[in-house]
Amino acid sequence: VRTRIQRLLMISHSGTSSNDEITTMHWRHGKIFDLPWLASRLIGERMNPLIPDPSRFLIAVTERNEKIACGQIRPVEDSKYELASLFVEPAYRQKGIGSQTVEKLMTRHQSTESAGKDVYLLTLNRTHRFYEKLGFRIIEVNLAPSMMQAEYSIGKQI
């Protein structure tokens, strides 16, 4: 059985590069105590800060217990899901951490009862190639979940 994943491209952010080295890093599920960090990063990047369930997040943490990246896959409607809230601290961008975070989120998604369910996302034009390299493809807005169509329409007005 082949999994079909549809992905919609419209809203995200890019960053600068750094020469900092990461010797050890791991991902963990978000916890309630991560909410202030998550909210501050999402608001700072002008992403939707409404975070009802921190356990949906994966958070990349260094060996010094420094949070450096996050992302989530959340349900949007009728067995459809959204890849959202992808963030990497500026000092750690351009090192593959964002790609690894997306890959880990998709692997986690495929290992749950949600396996095989459609995953969509919104991103800016300047970041769509990042997602295309990870297997996402641009679709017509009218094929996206209605909630995301509304978010897209609002974003075009701002």
Side-chain angles (χ1 to χ4, degrees):
V1 176
R2 188 160 191 199
T3 302
R4 181 176 59 94
I5 300 175
Q6 294 183 5
R7 302 159 189 201
L8 170 69
L9 300 171
M10 288 172 248
I11 305 174
S12 189
H13 304 278
S14 63
T16 59
S17 171
S18 169
N19 290 326
D20 293 344
E21 290 299 318
I22 305 168
T23 56
T24 306
M25 178 180 61
H26 68 277
W27 280 262
R28 64 168 176 77
H29 296 279
K31 307 279 187 202
I32 194 78
F33 60 79
D34 293 315
L35 283 174
W37 181 83
L38 289 166
S40 71
R41 293 332 186 253
L42 299 181
I43 290 168
E45 293 292 318
R46 297 187 180 119
M47 288 189 253
N48 182 348
L50 301 177
I51 311 166
D53 187 354
S55 69
R56 289 191 187 121
F57 278 83
L58 282 182
I59 298 176
V61 181
T62 68
E63 70 278 1
R64 297 179 308 268
N65 206 30
E66 177 186 11
K67 297 172 199 154
I68 61 170
C70 65
Q72 68 172 318
I73 292 182
R74 61 184 175 201
V76 286
E77 65 185 46
D78 299 328
S79 299
K80 295 177 182 171
Y81 293 82
E82 178 184 20
L83 171 65
S85 313
L86 183 64
F87 171 79
V88 179
E89 290 287 356
Y92 294 95
R93 294 179 183 170
Q94 301 297 315
K95 296 176 180 294
I97 296 168
S99 299
Q100 291 176 44
T101 302
V102 170
E103 290 167 1
K104 290 194 176 294
L105 284 163
M106 294 303 293
T107 298
R108 181 174 79 167
H109 179 72
Q110 294 303 323
S111 69
T112 68
E113 68 279 353
S114 306
K117 306 293 185 192
D118 290 344
V119 175
Y120 299 81
L121 68 92
L122 302 170
T123 194
L124 294 171
N125 282 335
R126 69 176 184 246
T127 58
H128 78 275
R129 283 187 180 85
F130 168 80
Y131 293 103
E132 287 177 319
K133 289 178 184 175
L134 294 168
F136 289 76
R137 63 184 175 85
I138 297 173
I139 63 170
E140 296 296 323
V141 173
N142 65 340
L143 298 175
S146 58
M147 183 181 95
M148 293 178 75
Q149 290 178 36
E151 187 176 347
Y152 174 75
S153 296
I154 292 168
K156 286 176 58 175
Q157 304 301 316
I158 298 176

